Amino acid sequence: MASTTSPPVTYESINPKVKKCEYAVRGEIVTQAQRLQQELQENPGSHPFDEILYCNIGNPQSLGQQPVTFFREVLSLCNHPAILDRDETHGLFSSDAISRAWEILDLIPGRATGAYSHSQGVKGLREAIAAGITARDGFPAKADDIFLTDGASPAVHMMMQLLIRSEKDGILCPIPQYPLYSASIALHGGSLVPYYLDEATGWGLEIFEVKRQLEDARSKGIIVRALVVINPGNPTGQVLSEANQREIVEFCKKEGLVLLADEVYQENIYVENKQFNSFKKISRMMGYDEELSLVSFQSVSKGYYGECGKRGGYMEVIGFTPDVREQIYKVASVNLCSNISGQILTSLVMNPPKVGDESYESFIAEKEGILQSLARRAQALEDAFNSLEGVTCNKAEGAMYLFPRLRLPQKAIDAAKSVNTAPDGFYARRLLEATGIVVVPGSGFGQVPGTWHIRCTILPQEDKIPAIISRLRAFHETFMNEFRD
Amino acid sequence: MASTTSPPVTYESINPKVKKCEYAVRGEIVTQAQRLQQELQENPGSHPFDEILYCNIGNPQSLGQQPVTFFREVLSLCNHPAILDRDETHGLFSSDAISRAWEILDLIPGRATGAYSHSQGVKGLREAIAAGITARDGFPAKADDIFLTDGASPAVHMMMQLLIRSEKDGILCPIPQYPLYSASIALHGGSLVPYYLDEATGWGLEIFEVKRQLEDARSKGIIVRALVVINPGNPTGQVLSEANQREIVEFCKKEGLVLLADEVYQENIYVENKQFNSFKKISRMMGYDEELSLVSFQSVSKGYYGECGKRGGYMEVIGFTPDVREQIYKVASVNLCSNISGQILTSLVMNPPKVGDESYESFIAEKEGILQSLARRAQALEDAFNSLEGVTCNKAEGAMYLFPRLRLPQKAIDAAKSVNTAPDGFYARRLLEATGIVVVPGSGFGQVPGTWHIRCTILPQEDKIPAIISRLRAFHETFMNEFRD
């Protein structure tokens, strides 16, 4: 019964916005890595390494990081409340996990963790999150301003969907940027207005550069609607100073821009002299309340917990008029609600165990253990990159990545060109094939034209770092020798 | 520091597609119900009822349905694998839940339930789901065709995003329809091409009507890209016959349409003489393989399990060219992955306990208990609606809803008009205020102009049904007496 009619959907006939969208974090290099992994499984010894090391994505538990016990205890109990009353449960779970599970269940109407919640998320959980934000900032937060989401990505999409009407609407994004932003802007048919971070000053965000790009876009008829700031930076790892954040707030206020603050790495700070300040806190310190339109994105995927698979997160939405808020609520309601386990986990990361709780000490030990290890790994990998010929690497003050710059020999650039690949993509491909290490070419994040970078997570387990550095160093020497001018 | 500049985002300046989108299942009536619930809490006795009964949404556990024990045991264990080895665990969990948790963990690379998975979902879980589909249909299914999603809604959005380029692209949808479809089409800027289900023949889907609407749309320059079929029907509850499904498959093949098959109620069948056949099975029986472009949507929110809060589901994508499939994969990868608990639960509902498993008998007792009770509730509510003056109600052969037609007195229609409300919305509002029962006006789903309906779930717990029916009957009599012509 086969027919000769053409299929109803062809590459040519799909939505061109979908075609335009790109997401290098899971792009070609990763597809190639998955192929190699398959080959290693089917034919051990077929490559000069015995495992693929996924340093392309901030996915800590995929590389062996263990989940935080208290969080998992509570999730486990909330998933099966029938055991909460049983004696054996006290032998298996800490007492504060049991009492926290009871508290959480009491926040959920009918204790029904299997029911759709309010479209913004369970109200009691939003109140707990608001309390956590209040404690973090020293300024009040409201449950009504919180929208719980399946990770930060859907929240970003929701805001892009709200703001972008056509390609005449622009969104200011840092370059380099996390490609969720470019992908979401492409999918919603808007224009990405780039502003460049300054590598020479540790990926500094210079307001004059943002202003220059804003004016340039406006001169081309683009209506710039929002400014995206990623703090701590992804892929760049810088932590903004309070003074810099004040300038940004003032700039958004003056220019009538929504400030989209990606703050998912707020707990990942690795240097003594920097601390995270939310843009909410900064704007309150400056005396702004609802006058600044601000959305803060947070996720359970990052931090010391790294619970990517749980898909929990929230956005805190401030300074929008009631009729616009109603529209955001409506879009949230079409999708019914985010997953309840993710909602619960979000409330936990914003309200972890406190002094005096049975789990407190073991919790702190797990948290500090992870964060201190991440700081050591960041330093070791940074030093390693800086020791390579032609490579310079800024410090990862925060987040989970290093973004070293590669100064490649002309011959390597020509070789890349001859296979129709960007030089950093060419380098990343060679690195993968020689070592099994997966990184993302800088071109996936954007970079100053003519410069080349790779993004490498700091997430491999600490005992593997020395071997990774050796493999990296050996590969780099071979590569440079092969292409030396 | 307050400023007088206008906010950067006003109702006038947001994306008009967002404004256009509507979702009545959580619309005005529900907002009013939430207000009344608040009033009841703050001031008990302030209304002529003591609780709000949410019959607006297919959300079984919010109305007291208990989760299926086996599923929750496995989820609980997968959330906290540290207890799997402990002796006490055997006192708390069934042995097959423990072994199933081990099996599932072994499918997940590194046993990391806290890691992002493959963008389509954990491969081993997709293989388990494919095996479940194969067992259901008697035709093979492939893991590569499965995309795991946070419930069915994001899957529907993904397909609309892929297919819709502009308002010139149309999607054929049943009227009445589940308003996710109209909302998603509006958000993506396409055109909904309606085809009417025939109430007189139990909401029959007549191909000549679909064809007539297709031709009408084409004559207006609309490129019709897909046909949405909801089987079992929502809000209409009909279960399609095999003969009817064959006609639909043939029609889509002939007309070059993607068949978007909403099959989320596949386990909710309440009548002896009907059974669910997937469109995949029907098309395979007809000898079609990859020649028909077919997407089947499934969700853990429905069925006998009703795990709405878990946000699990999948779409099975068949008959697309590799380059189009790659684009679907790319969009999935931008969102990284769906939540892993939802992925695990999806694999469980597609592969529940089998004969011989320790949990089998208790599992079957829970499953049959829920389904038989739903069938009794559907019948009792159907009978009740049919006993009301001016109301006729088709059988709910499947799904979770009744969609009775209201023949309202002219005076009621005029009264509704005078407050600028649709007559069914007016009736639903009065019903809520008198009884606390929340239903959705038919206008939220679409209906033949001049006819009026409400959608009411069959989900209140069985012991409450007699009281609900009494309240409904008393309200209806009072309403009709008030407005009698």
Side-chain angles (χ1 to χ4, degrees):
Chain A
M1 275 193 76
S3 150
T4 55
T5 57
S6 63
V9 187
T10 62
Y11 181 79
E12 287 64 39
S13 73
I14 67 169
N15 181 355
K17 294 172 191 164
V18 167
K19 286 189 257 190
K20 199 180 162 196
C21 135
E22 282 180 30
Y23 188 67
V25 172
R26 288 199 161 176
E28 243 177 77
I29 297 274
V30 181
T31 307
Q32 168 71 351
Q34 286 165 345
R35 256 196 303 269
L36 295 183
Q37 190 165 33
Q38 193 76 24
E39 288 171 18
L40 278 176
Q41 262 168 25
E42 290 162 6
N43 198 357
S46 55
H47 292 280
F49 42 85
D50 51 18
E51 64 169 342
I52 301 289
L53 263 172
Y54 287 98
C55 300
N56 58 302
I57 189 165
N59 194 7
Q61 295 189 31
S62 78
L63 294 175
Q65 182 176 310
Q66 291 306 300
V68 173
T69 307
F70 177 80
F71 296 159
R72 291 304 191 92
E73 286 184 313
V74 177
L75 285 185
S76 178
L77 291 166
C78 289
N79 262 304
H80 193 37
I83 64 171
L84 271 167
D85 274 332
R86 299 277 297 276
D87 285 343
E88 297 96 322
T89 304
H90 291 272
L92 284 175
F93 294 86
S94 63
S95 65
D96 55 337
I98 294 172
S99 57
R100 185 69 81 98
W102 278 120
E103 283 166 35
I104 287 173
L105 289 170
D106 284 340
L107 298 175
I108 300 176
R111 294 184 174 163
T113 55
Y116 294 129
S117 70
H118 184 282
S119 305
Q120 287 182 235
V122 173
K123 187 156 189 212
L125 296 175
R126 283 185 280 129
E127 281 165 354
I129 291 163
I133 297 172
T134 303
R136 180 193 71 191
D137 291 345
F139 292 94
K142 288 185 298 212
D144 281 355
D145 294 343
I146 309 291
F147 287 74
L148 283 155
T149 51
D150 292 309
S153 306
V156 169
H157 286 311
M158 272 174 76
M159 291 313 301
M160 295 302 174
Q161 186 165 53
L162 185 82
L163 293 172
I164 296 173
R165 293 160 295 187
S166 75
E167 71 286 354
K168 287 281 172 204
D169 282 328
I171 309 289
L172 273 158
C173 290
I175 296 295
Q177 51 109 24
Y178 173 51
L180 168 65
Y181 293 97
S182 49
S184 188
I185 293 167
L187 283 172
H188 293 98
S191 293
L192 187 151
V193 181
Y195 65 90
Y196 285 89
L197 302 174
D198 181 21
E199 186 163 12
T201 58
W203 300 113
L205 191 166
E206 309 285 359
I207 282 291
F208 71 82
E209 159 68 5
V210 185
K211 195 169 161 54
R212 193 173 66 84
Q213 298 291 354
L214 172 70
E215 282 164 6
D216 182 56
R218 283 181 176 160
S219 76
K220 292 172 181 153
I222 301 289
I223 301 162
V224 180
R225 309 221 60 187
L227 171 70
V228 172
V229 179
I230 309 175
N231 179 44
N234 174 7
T236 43
Q238 82 283 27
V239 177
L240 299 180
S241 70
E242 187 188 316
N244 201 187
Q245 288 184 274
R246 283 176 176 265
E247 286 181 304
I248 293 164
V249 166
E250 203 52 54
F251 178 79
C252 287
K253 183 74 197 72
K254 176 159 173 275
E255 300 290 351
L257 301 176
V258 178
L259 177 51
L260 299 175
D262 181 333
E263 299 181 324
V264 302
Y265 296 99
Q266 57 188 262
E267 307 226 41
N268 296 94
I269 309 277
Y270 309 120
V271 289
E272 290 290 320
N273 60 337
K274 288 287 181 87
Q275 64 168 42
F276 169 77
N277 292 301
S278 75
F279 274 103
K280 166 97 175 295
K281 175 181 172 184
I282 298 294
S283 75
R284 290 290 182 272
M285 285 166 64
M286 294 170 72
Y288 290 127
D289 190 10
E290 292 286 321
E291 305 91 349
L292 179 76
S293 300
L294 169 65
V295 184
S296 164
F297 302 101
Q298 166 68 320
S299 166
V300 301
S301 303
K302 310 304 172 188
Y304 55 90
Y305 24 84
E307 289 278 18
C308 303
K310 298 301 174 192
R311 310 309 283 125
Y314 72 78
M315 57 176 184
E316 186 185 11
V317 175
I318 294 158
F320 289 83
T321 57
D323 52 0
V324 173
R325 278 281 281 266
E326 220 169 83
Q327 298 295 312
I328 301 174
Y329 174 80
K330 185 178 69 179
V331 172
S333 77
V334 173
N335 295 314
L336 300 163
C337 67
S338 63
N339 83 86
I340 305 296
S341 289
Q343 293 190 23
I344 292 170
L345 184 52
T346 309
S347 83
L348 294 174
V349 306
M350 298 304 288
N351 289 280
K354 301 207 167 25
V355 182
D357 295 347
E358 183 190 315
S359 294
Y360 180 72
E361 287 188 21
S362 60
F363 164 75
I364 287 294
E366 289 179 49
K367 172 180 171 175
E368 295 302 326
I370 292 167
L371 287 173
Q372 286 163 9
S373 168
L374 284 171
R376 287 191 298 268
R377 289 180 255 171
Q379 188 64 57
L381 287 165
E382 177 202 325
D383 291 345
F385 279 118
N386 276 318
S387 76
L388 301 181
E389 179 188 355
V391 177
T392 51
C393 184
N394 279 325
K395 186 168 276 307
E397 298 175 336
M400 294 181 171
Y401 316 97
L402 290 162
F403 197 63
R405 177 169 174 189
L406 314 174
R407 285 170 191 78
L408 299 174
Q410 189 58 43
K411 268 200 206 156
I413 294 170
D414 296 341
K417 205 174 170 188
S418 74
V419 292
N420 219 4
T421 306
D424 47 12
F426 181 76
Y427 182 91
R429 173 67 75 114
R430 286 290 195 98
L431 176 64
L432 169 63
E433 285 164 357
T435 66
I437 301 170
V438 192
V439 299
V440 186
S443 33
F445 306 90
Q447 52 200 346
V448 170
T451 69
W452 309 108
H453 300 78
I454 54 172
R455 187 185 82 166
C456 180
T457 71
I458 58 169
L459 297 175
Q461 287 300 287
E462 213 164 346
D463 57 358
K464 291 193 172 171
I465 297 283
I468 290 171
I469 291 175
S470 311
R471 278 147 77 179
L472 180 64
R473 187 168 287 138
F475 160 76
H476 189 78
E477 276 173 26
T478 311
F479 182 92
M480 294 301 273
N481 286 337
E482 179 177 349
F483 294 105
R484 200 174 298 285
D485 293 319
Chain B
M1 279 195 68
S3 151
T4 55
T5 56
S6 62
V9 187
T10 62
Y11 181 78
E12 288 65 38
S13 73
I14 66 170
N15 181 355
K17 294 173 193 164
V18 167
K19 287 190 256 190
K20 198 179 162 200
C21 133
E22 283 180 31
Y23 188 67
V25 172
R26 288 199 160 174
E28 243 179 74
I29 297 273
V30 181
T31 307
Q32 167 72 348
Q34 287 166 344
R35 257 197 302 270
L36 295 183
Q37 189 167 32
Q38 192 75 23
E39 289 171 19
L40 277 176
Q41 261 169 24
E42 290 162 4
N43 197 356
S46 56
H47 291 281
F49 43 85
D50 52 17
E51 64 168 343
I52 301 288
L53 262 172
Y54 288 98
C55 300
N56 58 301
I57 189 164
N59 193 8
Q61 295 189 31
S62 77
L63 294 174
Q65 183 175 309
Q66 291 306 300
V68 173
T69 307
F70 177 80
F71 296 159
R72 291 305 192 92
E73 286 184 313
V74 177
L75 286 184
S76 179
L77 291 166
C78 289
N79 262 304
H80 192 37
I83 63 172
L84 271 167
D85 274 332
R86 299 277 297 275
D87 285 343
E88 297 96 322
T89 304
H90 290 272
L92 284 175
F93 294 85
S94 63
S95 65
D96 54 337
I98 294 172
S99 56
R100 184 71 81 100
W102 279 120
E103 282 166 35
I104 286 172
L105 289 170
D106 284 339
L107 297 175
I108 300 175
R111 294 186 175 161
T113 56
Y116 295 128
S117 70
H118 184 283
S119 305
Q120 288 182 234
V122 174
K123 184 147 192 223
L125 296 175
R126 285 185 280 129
E127 280 165 354
I129 291 163
I133 297 172
T134 303
R136 180 194 70 191
D137 291 345
F139 291 94
K142 288 186 298 213
D144 281 355
D145 294 342
I146 309 291
F147 287 74
L148 283 154
T149 51
D150 292 310
S153 306
V156 170
H157 286 312
M158 272 175 75
M159 291 312 301
M160 294 301 174
Q161 187 165 53
L162 184 82
L163 294 172
I164 296 173
R165 291 162 295 187
S166 75
E167 70 285 354
K168 286 282 172 202
D169 282 328
I171 309 290
L172 274 159
C173 290
I175 296 295
Q177 52 108 24
Y178 173 52
L180 167 66
Y181 293 96
S182 49
S184 188
I185 293 167
L187 283 172
H188 293 99
S191 294
L192 187 151
V193 180
Y195 65 90
Y196 286 90
L197 303 174
D198 182 22
E199 186 163 13
T201 58
W203 300 111
L205 191 167
E206 309 285 1
I207 282 290
F208 69 83
E209 160 68 4
V210 184
K211 194 170 161 57
R212 193 172 67 83
Q213 299 290 355
L214 171 70
E215 281 164 7
D216 182 55
R218 283 182 176 160
S219 75
K220 292 170 181 154
I222 301 289
I223 300 162
V224 180
R225 309 219 60 185
L227 171 70
V228 173
V229 179
I230 310 174
N231 179 43
N234 174 6
T236 42
Q238 82 284 23
V239 177
L240 299 180
S241 68
E242 187 188 315
N244 201 185
Q245 288 183 274
R246 284 175 175 264
E247 285 181 305
I248 293 163
V249 166
E250 203 52 55
F251 178 79
C252 287
K253 184 72 196 73
K254 176 159 174 274
E255 300 290 350
L257 303 176
V258 178
L259 177 51
L260 299 174
D262 181 333
E263 300 181 324
V264 302
Y265 297 99
Q266 58 189 262
E267 308 226 41
N268 296 96
I269 309 276
Y270 308 121
V271 289
E272 291 289 321
N273 60 336
K274 288 285 180 88
Q275 65 168 42
F276 169 78
N277 292 302
S278 76
F279 274 103
K280 164 95 176 295
K281 176 181 171 184
I282 299 292
S283 75
R284 290 289 183 275
M285 285 167 65
M286 294 170 71
Y288 290 127
D289 188 11
E290 292 285 321
E291 304 90 351
L292 179 77
S293 300
L294 168 66
V295 184
S296 165
F297 302 102
Q298 166 67 320
S299 167
V300 301
S301 303
K302 310 303 172 189
Y304 54 91
Y305 24 87
E307 289 278 17
C308 303
K310 299 300 173 191
R311 310 307 284 125
Y314 71 79
M315 58 177 182
E316 187 186 9
V317 176
I318 295 157
F320 289 82
T321 56
D323 51 359
V324 173
R325 279 280 282 266
E326 219 168 84
Q327 297 295 312
I328 301 174
Y329 174 81
K330 186 179 68 180
V331 172
S333 77
V334 173
N335 296 313
L336 299 163
C337 67
S338 63
N339 83 86
I340 305 295
S341 289
Q343 293 190 24
I344 292 171
L345 184 52
T346 309
S347 82
L348 294 175
V349 307
M350 299 305 287
N351 290 281
K354 300 208 166 28
V355 183
D357 294 348
E358 183 189 315
S359 293
Y360 180 72
E361 287 187 22
S362 61
F363 164 75
I364 287 294
E366 290 179 48
K367 173 181 170 175
E368 293 303 324
I370 292 167
L371 287 173
Q372 287 162 9
S373 168
L374 284 171
R376 287 191 298 268
R377 288 180 257 171
Q379 188 64 57
L381 287 165
E382 177 203 325
D383 291 344
F385 279 119
N386 277 318
S387 76
L388 301 181
E389 179 187 355
V391 177
T392 51
C393 184
N394 279 327
K395 186 167 276 308
E397 298 175 334
M400 294 182 170
Y401 316 98
L402 290 162
F403 197 63
R405 177 168 174 188
L406 314 174
R407 286 170 191 77
L408 299 173
Q410 189 58 42
K411 267 200 206 156
I413 293 170
D414 295 342
K417 205 173 169 187
S418 74
V419 291
N420 221 2
T421 306
D424 48 11
F426 181 76
Y427 181 92
R429 174 66 75 115
R430 286 291 195 98
L431 175 66
L432 168 62
E433 286 165 356
T435 66
I437 301 170
V438 192
V439 298
V440 186
S443 32
F445 305 90
Q447 51 200 348
V448 170
T451 69
W452 309 108
H453 299 77
I454 54 172
R455 187 186 81 164
C456 180
T457 72
I458 58 170
L459 298 175
Q461 287 300 287
E462 212 164 349
D463 57 358
K464 290 193 172 171
I465 297 284
I468 290 170
I469 290 175
S470 309
R471 279 147 77 180
L472 179 65
R473 187 168 286 139
F475 159 76
H476 190 76
E477 276 174 25
T478 310
F479 183 92
M480 294 302 274
N481 286 336
E482 180 179 347
F483 293 104
R484 199 173 298 286
D485 293 318

